[in-house]
Amino acid sequence: GTNGVEILRNGSLQVKVHVGDAEDTDGPIVPVEETITADGVQRNVILVNEQVPGPTLEVMEGAQIVLKVVNHLYNEVTSLHVHGLYMRGAHYMDGVPYGTEYPILPKKCFSYRFKAEPSGTHWYHSHVISQKEDGLYGAFIVHKNKMPSSPALPLFVQDWWHEDFLSVDVDSYYMRSRGPGRFFTIFANRGLSFDGTELTAARYQSALINGRGRYDGTNAPLTKFAISSGDSVRFRLIHAGAEFTFRVSIDAHSMTVVANDGHDVEPVQVQSVIIFPGESYDFEINGDQPNDVYWVRAETLWSGKGPNLESKDRVQEVRAILEYSGASSDQEPITTKPNCTEENPCRVLNCPFPAFPEGSSTECIYMSDVNSTADYSQPDDSEVVEYFFTFSFIIGASVNARKFVDANKPLVFGEPYEMVDCDPNCETGGCACTYMV
């Protein structure tokens, strides 16, 4: 028979040995530090150096980086893209398979060589099919002047399903070859935010913070972040997911946002941050609360289901733990979200809607109102080429009414590109073609 596993209360794995028709017996115990439990449901995960997220890489701005990638996947090619770096003069190191490079074959390796710029919070991930969503990602931090005395604290959030994300992807109604849609819902059942905006066509199943979460009452261990009383901690919040937007907060602690997508901003104090896939925010918290444990929360904007926004008393949420030194590590938090009042309203950064409901005592802070700490000068008009892009669903997801189709041969082969030409009437009726600007 096939052996199984059981997650123990402390997060360790108990191997269950199955022989024939006999009752399962207990096998060895694998410590929690050596396990990849995700949300407690067994499935395949892609690891980077035996961990998910992959190791955090910290370098100095301007350093020449050599990043060697060895592909141990049995039957998939891979690549690595460093999200947020300029790659000036080195576009062939940008990690786009068949576009800027040939992907790395199974059991082969490739060394990416590039200059680390600009400084800030960035992250690396695969650019092949859905490997990023299955765990192939990690933080890439570029420091400006000197290495800090304390390590960076990445806080990755992502949505999570119990099958390889490729299964979710090809299942979609909206692929060129329509899938059966097992992971997708009809409009009447889709989740909406409180203002009636559709969140996504995909079904929510689970989520992770730094590779850990808990699905439907499992004993899976949660990610813990350490803080000492009186100290300040800087988190590097990154959304590595695919579909859902998350609102991130820490019970009893305000968050001072100091950077967005790798660029420093004037500090903004908020109760929570709304983050979309691919975005990053640096925020700091002060250890000014009693020595205890506190919930770190990431919840979707789900308020009910459409089309009439039938509200339900439940949340789509994943949690982690903020643990003060000296607090009992055996206890889980019993903290609650703040009570927003008219005298002490909650401030939320990066709202995708005009305002929260009247009477919620919650204020929106828009990124358009946040100021950079750097001085930017407008370029001379003679140096500017202006393009307009309209993103719409006239024939499915499209740009300027053009749904992208791959060229007949990979672009990395060079000219002639053998593109699928765009019809002159694309603008009005929509078309599928290889759209290049």
Side-chain angles (χ1 to χ4, degrees), residues 273-304:
V273 174
I274 294 175
I275 186 168
F276 291 78
E279 291 185 330
S280 73
Y281 290 88
D282 289 24
F283 68 87
E284 297 175 352
I285 66 167
N286 293 321
D288 54 6
Q289 296 299 311
N291 285 354
D292 208 338
V293 286
Y294 300 83
W295 286 125
V296 179
R297 304 172 188 267
E299 57 185 297
T300 73
L301 302 184
W302 191 93
S303 287

Short mmCIF file of all heavy atoms in Angstrom, two decimals, residues 273-304:
data_model
loop_
_atom_site.label_atom_id
_atom_site.label_comp_id
_atom_site.label_asym_id
_atom_site.label_seq_id
_atom_site.Cartn_x
_atom_site.Cartn_y
_atom_site.Cartn_z
N VAL A 273 -2.93 47.42 4.46
CA VAL A 273 -2.52 47.69 3.08
C VAL A 273 -3.23 46.71 2.17
O VAL A 273 -3.27 45.50 2.45
CB VAL A 273 -0.99 47.54 2.91
CG1 VAL A 273 -0.60 47.68 1.44
CG2 VAL A 273 -0.25 48.55 3.76
N ILE A 274 -3.81 47.20 1.08
CA ILE A 274 -4.40 46.34 0.06
C ILE A 274 -3.35 46.12 -1.02
O ILE A 274 -2.78 47.07 -1.55
CB ILE A 274 -5.67 46.97 -0.53
CG1 ILE A 274 -6.76 47.05 0.55
CG2 ILE A 274 -6.16 46.19 -1.74
CD1 ILE A 274 -8.03 47.76 0.11
N ILE A 275 -3.10 44.85 -1.33
CA ILE A 275 -2.02 44.53 -2.26
C ILE A 275 -2.53 43.61 -3.36
O ILE A 275 -3.26 42.65 -3.11
CB ILE A 275 -0.81 43.91 -1.52
CG1 ILE A 275 0.36 43.70 -2.47
CG2 ILE A 275 -1.19 42.61 -0.80
CD1 ILE A 275 1.67 43.36 -1.76
N PHE A 276 -2.14 43.93 -4.60
CA PHE A 276 -2.53 43.16 -5.78
C PHE A 276 -1.36 42.27 -6.21
O PHE A 276 -0.21 42.52 -5.85
CB PHE A 276 -2.90 44.11 -6.92
CG PHE A 276 -4.17 44.89 -6.68
CD1 PHE A 276 -4.18 46.00 -5.85
CD2 PHE A 276 -5.35 44.50 -7.29
CE1 PHE A 276 -5.34 46.71 -5.63
CE2 PHE A 276 -6.52 45.22 -7.08
CZ PHE A 276 -6.52 46.32 -6.24
N PRO A 277 -1.64 41.21 -6.99
CA PRO A 277 -0.55 40.33 -7.45
C PRO A 277 0.56 41.11 -8.13
O PRO A 277 0.31 41.99 -8.97
CB PRO A 277 -1.26 39.38 -8.43
CG PRO A 277 -2.66 39.31 -7.92
CD PRO A 277 -2.96 40.70 -7.42
N GLY A 278 1.80 40.80 -7.76
CA GLY A 278 2.97 41.44 -8.36
C GLY A 278 3.46 42.67 -7.64
O GLY A 278 4.57 43.12 -7.88
N GLU A 279 2.65 43.23 -6.73
CA GLU A 279 3.04 44.45 -6.03
C GLU A 279 3.90 44.14 -4.81
O GLU A 279 3.92 43.01 -4.30
CB GLU A 279 1.80 45.23 -5.57
CG GLU A 279 1.00 45.84 -6.68
CD GLU A 279 -0.15 46.69 -6.17
OE1 GLU A 279 -0.69 46.40 -5.07
OE2 GLU A 279 -0.52 47.65 -6.85
N SER A 280 4.58 45.18 -4.31
CA SER A 280 5.32 45.06 -3.04
C SER A 280 5.21 46.36 -2.27
O SER A 280 5.12 47.45 -2.86
CB SER A 280 6.79 44.70 -3.28
OG SER A 280 7.51 45.80 -3.80
N TYR A 281 5.22 46.25 -0.94
CA TYR A 281 5.21 47.39 -0.03
C TYR A 281 6.17 47.10 1.11
O TYR A 281 6.16 46.00 1.67
CB TYR A 281 3.81 47.64 0.55
CG TYR A 281 2.80 48.16 -0.45
CD1 TYR A 281 2.05 47.28 -1.22
CD2 TYR A 281 2.63 49.53 -0.65
CE1 TYR A 281 1.15 47.75 -2.16
CE2 TYR A 281 1.71 50.00 -1.58
CZ TYR A 281 0.99 49.11 -2.33
OH TYR A 281 0.09 49.57 -3.26
N ASP A 282 7.00 48.06 1.45
CA ASP A 282 7.79 47.99 2.68
C ASP A 282 7.03 48.74 3.76
O ASP A 282 6.60 49.88 3.56
CB ASP A 282 9.15 48.66 2.50
CG ASP A 282 10.08 47.87 1.59
OD1 ASP A 282 9.57 47.08 0.77
OD2 ASP A 282 11.30 48.05 1.69
N PHE A 283 6.86 48.10 4.92
CA PHE A 283 6.25 48.81 6.04
C PHE A 283 6.97 48.45 7.33
O PHE A 283 7.56 47.37 7.45
CB PHE A 283 4.74 48.52 6.14
CG PHE A 283 4.39 47.12 6.54
CD1 PHE A 283 4.29 46.75 7.88
CD2 PHE A 283 4.12 46.15 5.57
CE1 PHE A 283 3.96 45.46 8.25
CE2 PHE A 283 3.78 44.85 5.94
CZ PHE A 283 3.69 44.51 7.27
N GLU A 284 6.92 49.38 8.27
CA GLU A 284 7.56 49.18 9.57
C GLU A 284 6.51 49.15 10.67
O GLU A 284 5.48 49.83 10.57
CB GLU A 284 8.57 50.30 9.83
CG GLU A 284 9.71 50.33 8.83
CD GLU A 284 10.63 51.52 9.02
OE1 GLU A 284 10.29 52.41 9.86
OE2 GLU A 284 11.68 51.58 8.36
N ILE A 285 6.76 48.34 11.69
CA ILE A 285 5.93 48.35 12.89
C ILE A 285 6.84 48.51 14.10
O ILE A 285 8.02 48.15 14.07
CB ILE A 285 5.08 47.07 13.04
CG1 ILE A 285 5.97 45.85 13.28
CG2 ILE A 285 4.18 46.85 11.83
CD1 ILE A 285 5.21 44.62 13.73
N ASN A 286 6.29 49.08 15.16
CA ASN A 286 7.03 49.24 16.41
C ASN A 286 6.58 48.19 17.41
O ASN A 286 5.38 47.87 17.51
CB ASN A 286 6.79 50.64 16.99
CG ASN A 286 7.39 51.73 16.12
OD1 ASN A 286 8.49 51.56 15.57
ND2 ASN A 286 6.68 52.83 15.98
N GLY A 287 7.54 47.67 18.15
CA GLY A 287 7.22 46.69 19.20
C GLY A 287 6.76 47.41 20.46
O GLY A 287 7.46 47.37 21.48
N ASP A 288 5.57 48.03 20.37
CA ASP A 288 5.10 48.87 21.48
C ASP A 288 3.90 48.26 22.21
O ASP A 288 3.19 48.94 22.94
CB ASP A 288 4.72 50.26 20.96
CG ASP A 288 3.72 50.20 19.80
OD1 ASP A 288 3.24 49.10 19.49
OD2 ASP A 288 3.44 51.27 19.21
N GLN A 289 3.69 46.95 22.00
CA GLN A 289 2.58 46.26 22.66
C GLN A 289 3.12 45.28 23.72
O GLN A 289 4.31 44.96 23.73
CB GLN A 289 1.74 45.51 21.63
CG GLN A 289 1.06 46.43 20.62
CD GLN A 289 0.09 47.40 21.26
OE1 GLN A 289 -0.75 47.00 22.08
NE2 GLN A 289 0.21 48.68 20.91
N PRO A 290 2.27 44.81 24.64
CA PRO A 290 2.73 43.84 25.65
C PRO A 290 3.33 42.59 25.00
O PRO A 290 2.96 42.21 23.88
CB PRO A 290 1.43 43.49 26.39
CG PRO A 290 0.55 44.68 26.20
CD PRO A 290 0.87 45.21 24.84
N ASN A 291 4.29 41.98 25.68
CA ASN A 291 4.93 40.77 25.16
C ASN A 291 3.90 39.65 25.03
O ASN A 291 3.48 39.04 26.00
CB ASN A 291 6.06 40.32 26.10
CG ASN A 291 7.29 41.19 25.97
OD1 ASN A 291 7.34 42.06 25.10
ND2 ASN A 291 8.27 40.97 26.82
N ASP A 292 3.50 39.39 23.81
CA ASP A 292 2.45 38.42 23.55
C ASP A 292 2.55 37.98 22.10
O ASP A 292 3.51 38.30 21.40
CB ASP A 292 1.07 39.05 23.85
CG ASP A 292 0.03 38.00 24.26
OD1 ASP A 292 0.24 36.82 23.94
OD2 ASP A 292 -0.97 38.37 24.90
N VAL A 293 1.55 37.26 21.63
CA VAL A 293 1.49 36.85 20.23
C VAL A 293 0.27 37.51 19.59
O VAL A 293 -0.78 37.64 20.23
CB VAL A 293 1.43 35.32 20.09
CG1 VAL A 293 2.78 34.71 20.37
CG2 VAL A 293 0.37 34.71 21.00
N TYR A 294 0.41 37.92 18.32
CA TYR A 294 -0.63 38.69 17.63
C TYR A 294 -0.84 38.11 16.23
O TYR A 294 0.12 37.67 15.59
CB TYR A 294 -0.23 40.17 17.53
CG TYR A 294 -0.02 40.83 18.87
CD1 TYR A 294 1.20 40.71 19.55
CD2 TYR A 294 -1.05 41.56 19.48
CE1 TYR A 294 1.38 41.31 20.79
CE2 TYR A 294 -0.87 42.16 20.71
CZ TYR A 294 0.35 42.03 21.37
OH TYR A 294 0.54 42.61 22.60
N TRP A 295 -2.08 38.14 15.78
CA TRP A 295 -2.37 37.65 14.43
C TRP A 295 -1.88 38.63 13.36
O TRP A 295 -2.10 39.83 13.45
CB TRP A 295 -3.87 37.44 14.24
CG TRP A 295 -4.47 36.25 14.91
CD1 TRP A 295 -5.52 36.24 15.78
CD2 TRP A 295 -4.08 34.88 14.74
NE1 TRP A 295 -5.81 34.95 16.17
CE2 TRP A 295 -4.94 34.10 15.56
CE3 TRP A 295 -3.09 34.23 14.00
CZ2 TRP A 295 -4.83 32.71 15.64
CZ3 TRP A 295 -2.97 32.85 14.10
CH2 TRP A 295 -3.83 32.10 14.89
N VAL A 296 -1.23 38.07 12.36
CA VAL A 296 -0.97 38.76 11.10
C VAL A 296 -2.02 38.24 10.13
O VAL A 296 -2.17 37.03 9.96
CB VAL A 296 0.44 38.45 10.56
CG1 VAL A 296 0.68 39.16 9.24
CG2 VAL A 296 1.50 38.84 11.60
N ARG A 297 -2.77 39.13 9.49
CA ARG A 297 -3.91 38.71 8.66
C ARG A 297 -3.74 39.17 7.22
O ARG A 297 -3.29 40.28 6.95
CB ARG A 297 -5.22 39.31 9.20
CG ARG A 297 -5.51 38.98 10.65
CD ARG A 297 -6.72 39.78 11.13
NE ARG A 297 -6.94 39.64 12.57
CZ ARG A 297 -7.73 38.72 13.13
NH1 ARG A 297 -8.40 37.90 12.35
NH2 ARG A 297 -7.86 38.65 14.43
N ALA A 298 -4.15 38.30 6.31
CA ALA A 298 -4.29 38.67 4.89
C ALA A 298 -5.63 38.12 4.44
O ALA A 298 -5.82 36.90 4.39
CB ALA A 298 -3.15 38.10 4.06
N GLU A 299 -6.57 39.00 4.15
CA GLU A 299 -7.89 38.56 3.74
C GLU A 299 -8.26 39.20 2.41
O GLU A 299 -7.84 40.31 2.10
CB GLU A 299 -8.94 38.88 4.81
CG GLU A 299 -9.04 40.33 5.20
CD GLU A 299 -10.02 40.53 6.35
OE1 GLU A 299 -11.22 40.25 6.17
OE2 GLU A 299 -9.57 40.97 7.43
N THR A 300 -9.03 38.47 1.62
CA THR A 300 -9.47 39.01 0.34
C THR A 300 -10.50 40.11 0.58
O THR A 300 -10.95 40.32 1.71
CB THR A 300 -10.09 37.92 -0.56
OG1 THR A 300 -11.39 37.58 -0.06
CG2 THR A 300 -9.21 36.68 -0.61
N LEU A 301 -10.89 40.77 -0.48
CA LEU A 301 -11.88 41.85 -0.37
C LEU A 301 -13.31 41.31 -0.49
O LEU A 301 -14.25 42.08 -0.65
CB LEU A 301 -11.63 42.89 -1.46
CG LEU A 301 -10.25 43.53 -1.47
CD1 LEU A 301 -10.18 44.61 -2.54
CD2 LEU A 301 -9.90 44.11 -0.11
N TRP A 302 -13.47 39.99 -0.36
CA TRP A 302 -14.78 39.35 -0.52
C TRP A 302 -15.78 39.88 0.50
O TRP A 302 -15.52 39.90 1.69
CB TRP A 302 -14.61 37.85 -0.34
CG TRP A 302 -15.79 37.00 -0.72
CD1 TRP A 302 -15.99 36.41 -1.93
CD2 TRP A 302 -16.88 36.63 0.11
NE1 TRP A 302 -17.15 35.69 -1.90
CE2 TRP A 302 -17.73 35.81 -0.68
CE3 TRP A 302 -17.25 36.91 1.42
CZ2 TRP A 302 -18.91 35.26 -0.18
CZ3 TRP A 302 -18.43 36.37 1.91
CH2 TRP A 302 -19.25 35.55 1.11
N SER A 303 -16.94 40.31 -0.01
CA SER A 303 -18.01 40.76 0.89
C SER A 303 -19.30 39.98 0.67
O SER A 303 -20.24 40.12 1.44
CB SER A 303 -18.30 42.25 0.68
OG SER A 303 -17.27 43.03 1.21
N GLY A 304 -19.36 39.19 -0.37
CA GLY A 304 -20.56 38.43 -0.68
C GLY A 304 -20.49 37.96 -2.10
O GLY A 304 -19.44 38.00 -2.73
#
